[in-house]
Amino acid sequence: MTWYQGPDGSGSPSARFGHSATLFGGSKMLIFGGWNGKDVFNDFYVLDLEAMSWSQPKCTGPAPTPRQGHVAIQVGNNLLVQGGFCFDDDKQKAAGNRQGSQLRSCYLNDIRILDCEKFEWSRLRISGVPPLPRYGHTANISGSNIVFFGGWSCRSGLREE
């Protein structure tokens, strides 16, 4: 195995962490979201691993809110994005004595789907009880199910009796 310095510069995403990087179709890497320590993103980039070139397709539909620490997984020709965390410093400061309530709203549990042929976002309709909003978790496909595991939720670290 040999490490290769990938392309930078023209068309590449800005420096960030907490984003997702999903191998798609064996020849593309899809980058979504993340945080640079100041700004939280909901932008979308594609790295063509054969041409080693970046692009930023124009996406339509109801895009996910900016987030970091989410999961993203390929399901057929779609990218599924779930959960994450979005801290808004201004909202937190404005919350005054209600900072705990504001902080709980930073944890996300929505699910969005990006059709990677049309580059169109949509909401996923689900049934049953969704997991608690969380970030830093994982997702894997098991048969016809997607299994979410771990991470931090708004209840992590609470002393339960």
Side-chain angles (χ1 to χ4, degrees):
M1 180 182 289
T2 303
W3 285 100
Y4 172 76
Q5 176 64 42
D8 57 3
S10 179
S12 65
S14 61
R16 64 191 64 204
F17 59 96
H19 58 285
S20 57
T22 307
L23 181 63
F24 192 88
S27 64
K28 297 194 179 344
M29 183 171 62
L30 310 182
I31 304 291
F32 175 77
W35 185 45
N36 66 4
K38 181 178 183 271
D39 299 310
V40 184
F41 303 106
N42 69 338
D43 50 4
F44 175 73
Y45 290 86
V46 177
L47 175 60
D48 183 314
L49 297 170
E50 293 172 351
M52 291 309 288
S53 63
W54 286 103
S55 63
Q56 187 177 18
K58 180 174 174 20
C59 298
T60 61
T65 57
R67 64 192 62 214
Q68 58 127 344
H70 56 280
V71 294
I73 189 168
Q74 179 182 351
V75 180
N77 286 325
N78 302 297
L79 179 71
L80 178 140
V81 173
Q82 191 273 337
F85 189 83
C86 183
F87 184 81
D88 185 321
D89 197 40
D90 293 331
K91 285 184 181 177
Q92 192 66 25
K93 287 176 184 173
N97 293 335
R98 305 209 59 206
Q99 288 188 356
S101 296
Q102 171 57 36
L103 189 59
R104 280 192 294 280
S105 72
C106 296
Y107 293 85
L108 306 170
N109 74 339
D110 61 328
I111 298 177
R112 298 294 170 103
I113 297 284
L114 178 65
D115 179 320
C116 291
E117 291 177 354
K118 299 177 188 175
F119 294 108
E120 182 177 8
W121 287 105
S122 60
R123 293 181 183 94
L124 182 64
R125 296 183 193 273
I126 60 168
S127 61
V129 179
L132 285 174
R134 65 188 57 241
Y135 78 98
H137 53 301
T138 62
N140 286 289
I141 295 176
S142 177
S144 62
N145 296 309
I146 298 173
V147 179
F148 300 105
F149 179 78
W152 284 86
S153 74
C154 58
R155 300 194 52 83
S156 296
L158 292 179
R159 294 183 188 170
E160 303 283 338
E161 294 187 52

